[in-house]
Amino acid sequence: MTQVEAHRVVIIGGGAGGLELAAKLGQRFGPQHVFLVDKAGDHIWKPSLHEVAAGTLDIHREGLSYFMLAKDKGFTFIFGEVAHIDRDAGQIQLEPVLSDQQVEVFPARRLPYDTLVLAVGSKSNFFGTPGAAEFAIALDSTEEAERFRLRLLHELVTANQKKSDHDSYALNIGIVGGGATGVELAAELREACADAVFYGLNSLDPQKDIQITLLEGADRILSALSPKMSSAAQQLLVDRGISVRTSVRVARIEADALYDTNGVRYPVDLCVWAAGIEAPAFLKRLGLETNRINQLVVDGGLRSNDPAIFAMGDCAQVPWDGPGKFLPAKAQVAHQQAVFLLPIMAERIQGKEVQTRQFHFRDYGSLVSVGHSRGVGSLMGVLTGKNWFVQGLLARLMYMSLHLMHHLAILGFVRTASLALGRLLMKRGSPRVKLH
């Protein structure tokens, strides 16, 4: 009797949605059916990268190993970066994996698929701004966040030395983009830099000698959210001594300064780019429909115009709430899409007729962290169908709960509780700017 080949669902990208889908499918169907591909060895919740960059979160405690998750949850993890997708053959070509010493760990490989789910997320969009790719750091990955952290420590030490010789010296940090990432990073940096004294950097007055400037092209920060949230967040930043400049469009970046479209110069020793996103460029080479920021155009069932390929999360343009409107790049979108795709992938694995379904996003609101004890947010339709505005410690605690809910969806209650306790003790018991 001829053995029937197992239907292989391959998920590329182990972010919030991709990992959750792989874990839940793996628990049901096992490693012969479910494959997760990622170029990193560890998963971190992307909204936490600003904390890694500021040195207030230890990636070695926070990161979740894909190999261990694969063992626990029953999927196969493939470590590697996609070089090419051959749609005709139903295969993925992977780049070889090299160690830090350029020794080949895994050779180039081919991975066949029956169903492909693209969950490759997004990266920063420099919009062709001269000097941005060369002189600004974009917090797209743990590697970039760690690079920023080390640069920050170097600049703090340098500033401490220069301050001893020049009393008027100040360290200038510029953040381009007043969305959630830029706002959260600005607040986190202010708190992290306040702890520089723990490392003997006693010449610096963190509040006066470390100047943080947030530049936003729109007429308010957090422009995608309500004006009330924007106003509250801006006031919290200003109260922390952070300069907020709106209606400022950056024209170019140099090694020591930013210039806006009016020719105004903003001195910077350290620059972060947090203004806009785009999907990975390789998506445009698949022969599928994409938009101007490389996102795959999918229908209401998250299907591309190739019946074997689905897309979710930041790399997908999904229709929402009327013609010409599309879902925002939010972790809660990716989570809901993972839940939506679960029965569809199950039917494909089992060889059943796939039922027609339409994805309906339910917006539960937005929360933004503005430091460890403050936050702002709006909760939409959670309690009574109305829009509730929250701020202060309550908003911060609710923001932290989102991270725990993400872990709960992947790990289960016991391991999530253990991680939450460890993170709480780490935050309370150690200085916030971490040195290695």
Side-chain angles (χ1 to χ4, degrees), residues 27-253:
Q27 284 181 302
R28 288 185 61 183
F29 300 107
Q32 74 275 20
H33 288 285
V34 185
F35 298 78
L36 177 67
V37 178
D38 202 282
K39 62 183 179 181
D42 298 287
H43 166 82
I44 185 170
W45 196 51
K46 195 171 182 180
S48 295
L49 286 179
H50 71 281
E51 295 178 85
V52 177
T56 60
L57 183 64
D58 188 345
I59 180 56
H60 301 291
R61 298 189 189 187
E62 179 65 20
L64 304 176
S65 165
Y66 287 121
F67 291 105
M68 294 303 297
L69 288 169
K71 179 181 178 181
D72 289 347
K73 299 301 178 181
F75 61 87
T76 298
F77 175 61
I78 306 296
F79 188 24
E81 185 171 4
V82 175
H84 175 67
I85 297 175
D86 185 340
R87 291 169 48 210
D88 293 331
Q91 289 186 340
I92 301 165
Q93 175 70 48
L94 297 173
E95 300 277 8
V97 177
L98 305 178
S99 70
D100 293 339
Q101 293 74 36
Q102 299 304 298
V103 176
E104 186 175 86
V105 180
F106 291 103
R109 290 152 291 164
R110 287 186 176 272
L111 178 66
Y113 67 85
D114 298 295
T115 300
L116 182 63
V117 179
L118 292 165
V120 292
S122 61
K123 60 187 185 69
S124 292
N125 189 345
F126 293 122
F127 302 105
T129 304
E134 182 179 0
F135 297 114
I137 297 176
L139 304 183
D140 295 329
S141 64
T142 53
E143 291 77 17
E144 288 293 285
E146 182 71 357
R147 183 163 76 92
F148 177 87
R149 184 184 71 82
L150 293 174
R151 275 285 308 279
L152 173 63
L153 290 172
H154 170 76
E155 295 295 345
L156 287 172
V157 172
T158 301
N160 189 69
Q161 293 169 342
K162 290 183 177 181
K163 185 67 179 178
S164 299
D165 301 326
H166 306 283
D167 187 60
S168 62
Y169 181 82
L171 171 64
N172 290 288
I173 301 174
I175 301 173
V176 182
T181 298
V183 168
E184 291 177 341
L185 178 64
E188 199 76 19
L189 284 175
R190 175 57 77 202
E191 297 196 4
C193 290
D195 290 336
V197 65
F198 289 109
Y199 297 103
L201 305 180
N202 298 312
S203 297
L204 288 175
D205 178 341
Q207 194 68 26
K208 183 180 71 173
D209 301 330
I210 301 173
Q211 298 179 2
I212 302 172
T213 302
L214 181 67
L215 305 174
E216 167 57 38
D219 59 0
R220 59 186 177 92
I221 62 172
L222 301 176
S223 59
L225 305 179
S226 71
K228 189 172 184 179
M229 281 189 67
S230 297
S231 178
Q234 180 160 335
Q235 189 59 53
L236 286 170
L237 293 179
V238 171
D239 289 346
R240 285 160 171 74
I242 295 166
S243 176
V244 179
R245 307 288 182 88
T246 56
S247 300
V248 173
R249 297 187 180 277
V250 175
R252 73 181 190 274
I253 301 177

Side-chain angles (χ1 to χ4, degrees), residues 201-382:
L201 305 180
N202 298 312
S203 297
L204 288 175
D205 178 341
Q207 194 68 26
K208 183 180 71 173
D209 301 330
I210 301 173
Q211 298 179 2
I212 302 172
T213 302
L214 181 67
L215 305 174
E216 167 57 38
D219 59 0
R220 59 186 177 92
I221 62 172
L222 301 176
S223 59
L225 305 179
S226 71
K228 189 172 184 179
M229 281 189 67
S230 297
S231 178
Q234 180 160 335
Q235 189 59 53
L236 286 170
L237 293 179
V238 171
D239 289 346
R240 285 160 171 74
I242 295 166
S243 176
V244 179
R245 307 288 182 88
T246 56
S247 300
V248 173
R249 297 187 180 277
V250 175
R252 73 181 190 274
I253 301 177
E254 297 182 356
D256 60 353
L258 305 171
Y259 293 85
D260 69 17
T261 51
N262 295 319
V264 178
R265 182 180 187 272
Y266 302 85
V268 292
D269 300 290
L270 189 55
C271 178
V272 180
W273 188 275
I277 63 166
E278 62 180 358
F282 83 87
L283 296 176
K284 296 189 78 70
R285 300 192 293 269
L286 298 181
L288 301 173
E289 185 181 358
T290 56
N291 63 14
R292 61 181 178 80
I293 59 170
N294 306 332
Q295 290 175 316
L296 282 178
V297 175
V298 297
D299 64 14
L302 308 185
R303 297 165 296 194
S304 73
N305 48 338
D306 182 328
I309 297 180
F310 294 73
M312 64 184 296
D314 292 4
C315 73
Q317 176 185 287
V318 185
W320 179 51
D321 196 27
K325 294 184 179 180
F326 306 101
L327 285 173
K330 289 184 175 184
Q332 64 171 305
V333 171
H335 161 68
Q336 292 183 35
Q337 289 174 339
V339 174
F340 171 80
L341 284 175
L342 186 61
I344 295 173
M345 296 300 116
E347 288 167 354
R348 294 175 76 93
I349 288 172
Q350 294 170 318
K352 296 180 179 179
E353 181 180 352
V354 178
Q355 301 297 314
T356 300
R357 300 174 176 85
Q358 294 292 307
F359 176 68
H360 298 288
F361 171 60
R362 184 173 183 183
D363 189 353
Y364 290 102
S366 299
L367 293 163
V368 177
S369 170
V370 192
H372 291 156
S373 60
R374 291 291 183 270
V376 296
S378 63
L379 306 180
M380 302 173 69
V382 177

